[in-house]
Amino acid sequence: MGPGTEMSTDKDGHRIEGSFVVKSGLAQMSKGGLIMDVVNAEQAKIAEEAGACAVMALERVPADIRRDGGVSRMSDPKLIKEIMAAVTIPVFAKVRIGHFAEAQILEALGVDMIDESEVLTPADDEHHVDKRAFKVPFVCGARNLGEALRRIAEGAAMIRTKGEAGTERCKVKSLKMENENPLNVHRWRKLEGNDPSTMEMIQKINFLQKLLLKRHQSIVEKEALIDDKDKSMDDSELFSYAKQIQVPVDLLREAAKIGRLPVVNFAAGGLATPADVSLLMQLGVDGVFVGSGIFKSNCPKKRAHAMVQSVTHYKNKEKLAELSEDLGEPMVGINCDQLAEKWEGRESEMK
């Protein structure tokens, strides 16, 4: 049931405000939607009109953060309040990894969710924010199953895959390359134009979840045939794996039982076209974050609408073809192989 669920009701059976059940329920409301980065009230209105389920309020989109360099911090509270006043959909905002004071300020402002984000400059090299101490839900990035479960153990109510935010992989490979690698998964990396790590992280998480589910099913089958002594031996296998990926065994056991992460899982990093959205939705994510890909294109309103619609119609090839027409130029490409620093690797040393 996730961290904190043992305190999710009072003695009369009422839900406690700020409990994990309540916070993860708020995250569930975003399932099947698109969350869009915005830097002002005007962009927030465009996002809402396009059908975004929420907006992420920040002073600079990731592409500009990369370009400008320097230390990147929580956005100005005045900007966040202006965006909150401009729209009726939920408003999220980012804090630096480990910066609990920034999180306290955002909670006081009344944002709907806090993103403890590797896009901003980490404030603490050893610890993440203890998200269980807050009433507002948190979303955190993850590259693999272990990192995702560690963030959930800290109280995260939503996970997003860590792609390289603010990038669109340059479309520089020739048709010859495409012919040499027909229908290969690596077309995402070499031809489709976006960050490969987003897809790789989803594939890793999906693979580990399937492996864990298979292992759990095997243990369940054995338990029907063996005595209590042997059961503890099978349990030790789960303990060993939990130790290996540095997560609480109870949380790992829950993930094994349900066969997926116990919270909503969105994809993020390098999405720029309806096809990108469709690909990631078909891989099994619950929704997507889109940042630089909308407002760094030359037709933001039309692209925003197309990207939102592609989340809903991600299996409809004809609709996707229609949505992909005449969107103008996408964001300017940044080749991930040439990045001086990759944000996806930002995680506290203490894990």
Side-chain angles (χ1 to χ4, degrees):
M1 295 175 67
T5 50
E6 70 277 6
M7 298 292 290
S8 61
T9 58
D10 60 21
K11 61 182 181 180
D12 297 320
H14 300 124
R15 297 293 190 197
I16 298 174
E17 181 184 5
S19 71
F20 186 78
V21 168
V22 173
K23 290 189 286 190
S24 60
L26 290 172
Q28 287 281 346
M29 293 170 63
S30 300
K31 197 171 181 179
L34 181 146
I35 299 167
M36 202 176 300
D37 285 356
V38 298
V39 300
N40 54 47
E42 182 181 352
Q43 289 186 358
K45 291 176 182 177
I46 291 174
E48 183 173 32
E49 290 169 2
C53 68
V55 293
M56 181 72 71
L58 64 169
E59 289 181 339
R60 296 175 292 166
V61 293
D64 288 340
I65 293 174
R66 285 194 183 279
R67 181 197 65 202
D68 298 341
V71 176
S72 184
R73 303 179 175 88
M74 176 192 77
S75 297
D76 187 331
K78 181 181 178 182
L79 170 68
I80 295 171
K81 289 194 289 186
E82 288 173 352
I83 291 173
M84 290 171 63
V87 296
T88 59
I89 57 178
V91 176
F92 301 176
K94 294 181 182 290
V95 299
R96 301 161 67 187
I97 290 176
H99 207 314
F100 58 83
E102 286 186 347
Q104 289 167 349
I105 290 171
L106 291 186
E107 185 172 49
L109 289 177
V111 299
D112 296 286
M113 189 174 292
I114 296 173
D115 184 352
E116 187 179 15
S117 177
E118 71 282 355
V119 168
L120 306 185
T121 306
D124 192 328
D125 292 332
E126 294 189 353
H127 304 96
H128 284 252
V129 173
D130 181 1
K131 292 161 273 291
R132 297 166 297 182
F134 292 81
K135 292 182 179 180
V136 63
F138 277 72
V139 54
C140 293
R143 294 164 293 171
N144 51 54
L145 182 62
E147 192 172 357
L149 292 178
R150 287 194 291 275
R151 300 293 82 80
I152 295 168
E154 295 163 356
M158 178 190 285
I159 293 295
R160 55 173 171 72
T161 54
K162 280 188 187 179
E164 277 303 325
T167 66
E168 187 203 1
R169 203 167 171 85
C170 297
K171 302 177 182 178
V172 298
K173 299 299 180 180
S174 66
L175 183 61
K176 179 175 180 291
M177 179 69 75
E178 181 175 9
N179 290 334
E180 289 173 353
N181 298 276
L183 301 179
N184 191 290
V185 69
H186 296 280
R187 288 176 63 188
W188 166 260
R189 306 179 208 170
K190 297 179 179 179
L191 297 168
E192 282 296 319
N194 280 355
D195 172 30
S197 54
T198 299
M199 183 174 180
E200 289 169 359
M201 294 313 136
I202 295 169
Q203 289 176 324
K204 286 179 182 178
I205 289 175
N206 285 346
F207 173 76
L208 286 170
Q209 286 178 166
K210 290 177 182 177
L211 183 65
L212 188 57
L213 178 61
K214 183 177 180 181
R215 179 176 296 186
H216 175 74
Q217 289 172 334
S218 175
I219 291 173
V220 169
E221 290 171 0
K222 289 178 182 178
E223 284 180 345
L225 302 172
I226 57 182
D227 59 24
D228 289 339
K229 181 179 179 181
D230 288 330
K231 283 182 186 179
S232 65
M233 292 174 64
D234 280 320
D235 254 359
S236 70
E237 197 172 82
L238 203 60
F239 274 101
S240 177
Y241 190 50
K243 184 177 180 180
Q244 179 185 333
I245 63 174
Q246 301 177 319
V247 301
V249 67
D250 290 341
L251 192 55
L252 182 63
R253 186 178 286 112
E254 180 184 354
K257 183 178 180 180
I258 63 178
R260 57 156 291 150
L261 292 178
V263 300
V264 173
N265 181 27
F266 271 44
L271 284 78
T273 68
D276 296 344
V277 174
S278 172
L279 174 61
L280 297 175
M281 291 297 294
Q282 289 189 57
L283 284 173
V285 298
D286 296 313
V288 298
F289 284 85
V290 179
S292 312
I294 298 291
F295 294 105
K296 286 297 178 180
S297 67
N298 68 356
C299 190
K301 286 186 178 181
K302 188 169 184 180
R303 188 171 294 273
H305 177 267
M307 297 285 273
V308 170
Q309 288 297 307
S310 62
V311 177
T312 301
H313 303 288
Y314 69 94
K315 287 186 177 181
N316 187 327
K317 294 178 289 185
E318 290 75 17
K319 184 66 174 179
L320 289 168
E322 177 188 328
L323 292 169
S324 300
E325 286 184 9
D326 195 28
L327 294 180
E329 285 296 316
M331 67 175 284
V332 176
I334 301 174
N335 195 321
C336 292
D337 294 336
Q338 298 174 356
L339 292 175
E341 179 185 11
K342 292 194 174 183
W343 294 337
E344 66 178 38
R346 289 176 172 174
E347 186 188 14
S348 71
E349 294 299 322
M350 297 294 289
K351 307 301 181 187

